[in-house]
Amino acid sequence: MAKHKGKQQGGDAFESYYAQIYQGRWIALKEALLVDRKPVAFSDALKQTYYLDEASIIAAKLLGVQEGDCVLDMCAAPGGKSLVLASSLKTSGTLVANDRSATRRGRLKLVLKGHLCDDVYSRITVTGHDATRWSLYEQNTYDRILLDAPCSSERHVLSDPKALAVWTAARPKHLAIQQFAMLASALEAAKVGGCILYSTCSINPMENEMVIDKLFDKRDGRFVIEAVADPFSESRRHGSIILPDTASGRGPLYFCLIRRTA
């Protein structure tokens, strides 16, 4: 990937940065990112319907949660993906829904309580831990972990003039460091044989497949990448990505399914 100067900021810097990554595709991708999302209804095992991006439903289902699983959603707010995970638990299994932000955690609790039946809700624990430090307290614990990591969220940046005005190439670099710390922690928290779905809503390879590259560098021999995809996704070096210019507005959403082996 081309190098970028981190001191330049604003719309021109953003435009130059992503045009270098996506080349001739950037114009069409940018136009698709600027179109308002069309949320879809999700109601499986819920007492009322929740609306979210279809790509989020796809990603959460790819984790493969089964009845009876012990599940962790490391960065759960606002809660749409947690609802998808919880719906797969059926009559047994537990879900820890975590978010470090107290404000976001408050919204998460409202979403979960408002949409889940009492039996499932009673098996949900909402926590406020730092996901980068999770493995200091719990190891070899969860059958399935969703890490929908905080990311650049370029779709939001493009639609928010204030966010675009202060954007610099230093932001994805900083986020990638945090994302790897979370992913390394998730690997320790998963049971041997358990799975982690790493996902972001970023279109930046630095925050997506390059985070998986770093996991290979630092934790090689302890995990494998499982092949998962869907009709709307495009393969990457590790994992896949759903991009709105070719997926009828869905996404963006990157995902990679990791199975801990040791």
Side-chain angles (χ1 to χ4, degrees):
M1 193 173 88
K3 294 183 178 180
H4 306 269
K5 295 180 180 179
K7 293 183 179 179
Q8 295 177 328
Q9 70 178 50
D12 289 344
F14 183 95
E15 184 78 20
S16 174
Y17 185 98
Y18 286 98
Q20 286 186 58
I21 295 172
Y22 283 94
Q23 301 292 316
R25 183 178 181 177
W26 172 239
I27 293 174
L29 178 56
K30 179 182 176 182
E31 288 178 355
L33 290 167
L34 285 166
V35 176
D36 289 341
R37 298 181 197 226
K38 296 178 180 178
V40 300
F42 180 78
S43 57
D44 295 0
L46 303 184
K47 61 185 183 182
Q48 65 171 311
T49 300
Y50 188 86
Y51 291 87
L52 70 168
D53 189 318
E54 188 176 353
S56 296
I57 300 172
I58 291 168
K61 286 187 173 183
L62 286 172
L63 182 56
V65 171
Q66 302 292 319
E67 187 170 5
D69 278 348
C70 181
V71 184
L72 169 62
D73 189 348
M74 292 187 90
C75 303
K81 293 187 184 72
S82 292
L83 293 177
V84 179
L85 300 178
S87 72
S88 298
L89 293 176
K90 298 181 181 178
T91 60
S92 63
T94 59
L95 171 65
V96 175
N98 181 72
D99 204 278
R100 192 176 182 183
S101 163
T103 301
R104 288 169 60 83
R105 203 160 57 247
R107 183 181 175 193
L108 171 64
K109 290 177 181 177
L110 290 174
V111 167
L112 295 174
K113 189 170 181 61
H115 291 80
L116 294 173
C117 65
D118 291 344
D119 173 62
V120 177
Y121 184 73
S122 70
R123 290 181 274 124
I124 310 292
T125 303
V126 177
T127 59
H129 304 309
D130 178 353
T132 65
R133 299 171 61 82
W134 200 284
S135 61
L136 296 177
Y137 310 104
E138 283 191 313
Q139 297 183 13
N140 199 31
T141 301
Y142 296 96
D143 299 294
R144 298 285 188 272
I145 298 175
L146 175 63
L147 173 53
D148 186 33
C151 69
S152 284
S153 189
E154 292 88 356
R155 191 165 206 161
H156 167 74
V157 172
L158 278 169
S159 64
D160 184 343
K162 290 182 179 179
L164 188 59
V166 299
W167 185 91
T168 75
R171 177 165 171 75
K173 289 180 181 178
H174 171 76
L175 284 165
I177 293 169
Q178 181 185 63
Q179 289 156 351
F180 172 75
M182 291 181 176
L183 182 54
S185 192
L187 186 66
E188 301 302 325
K191 294 177 181 178
V192 174
C195 286
I196 304 149
L197 188 86
Y198 175 74
S199 67
T200 80
C201 60
S202 175
I203 62 172
N204 194 331
M206 185 181 293
E207 300 180 47
N208 296 335
E209 55 264 40
M210 291 174 70
V211 173
I212 310 301
D213 283 337
K214 190 171 181 180
L215 195 67
F216 274 106
D217 289 341
K218 303 294 185 180
R219 303 288 190 274
D220 194 22
R222 299 191 56 203
F223 68 94
V224 294
I225 304 299
E226 297 284 351
V228 291
D230 74 280
F232 305 111
S233 66
E234 306 171 21
S235 295
R236 289 295 184 259
R237 183 171 62 256
H238 309 299
S240 302
I241 193 167
I242 298 171
L243 292 171
D245 60 325
T246 55
S248 301
R250 298 172 181 86
L253 198 128
Y254 170 82
F255 55 88
C256 183
L257 185 64
I258 299 161
R259 184 178 296 278
R260 180 177 172 183
T261 58

